[in-house]
């Protein structure tokens, strides 16, 4: 029967994390995802500029692709999180 009992999470100690003292304890997952997509789009928009060679463009596209990869992995992780 011990295996079927619901485990309780330990309480957050306000001395370790002061925000738990006034009721908020968490992050902004939706805001972080939105900021990631906006940043990737801004990086791609910055390609249009007064660049003399393509070195800047390679960095802009590479960073935007890296952000998109991280965001896609996050979507995949959220979809399969219930399976664990």
């Amino acid at each position: 029967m011990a295996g079927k009992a619901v485990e309780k999470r330990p309480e957050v100690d306000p001395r370790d994390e002061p925000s738990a003292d006034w009721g908020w304890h968490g992050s902004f997952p939706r805001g972080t995802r939105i900021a990631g997509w906006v940043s990737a789009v801004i990086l791609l928009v910055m390609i249009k500029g007064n660049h003399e060679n393509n070195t800047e463009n390679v960095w802009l596209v590479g960073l935007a692709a890296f952000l998109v990869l991280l965001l896609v992995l996050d979507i995949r992780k959220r979809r399969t999180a219930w399976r664990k």
Side-chain angles (χ1 to χ4, degrees):
M1 286 291 180
K4 293 185 179 182
V6 176
E7 292 182 27
K8 285 194 170 189
R9 292 185 178 180
E11 292 290 324
V12 176
D13 188 7
R15 289 176 290 166
D16 295 334
E17 300 182 17
S19 62
D21 206 18
W22 46 272
W24 182 81
H25 184 74
S27 61
F28 300 104
R30 186 172 181 211
T32 304
R33 290 182 202 109
I34 292 171
W37 287 110
V38 169
S39 298
V41 169
I42 288 173
L43 285 171
L44 293 175
V45 168
M46 287 171 55
I47 290 175
K48 182 169 173 45
N50 58 350
H51 306 158
E52 300 214 4
N53 57 16
N54 286 328
T55 305
E56 296 92 350
N57 295 342
V58 170
W59 277 97
L60 290 171
V61 171
L63 289 172
F66 181 68
L67 274 175
V68 169
L69 174 71
L70 291 177
L71 290 165
V72 168
L73 289 175
D74 180 57
I75 291 170
R76 182 175 170 221
K77 185 178 86 171
R78 281 187 293 137
R79 286 187 182 176
T80 60
W82 63 273
R83 294 182 190 170
K84 293 182 181 179

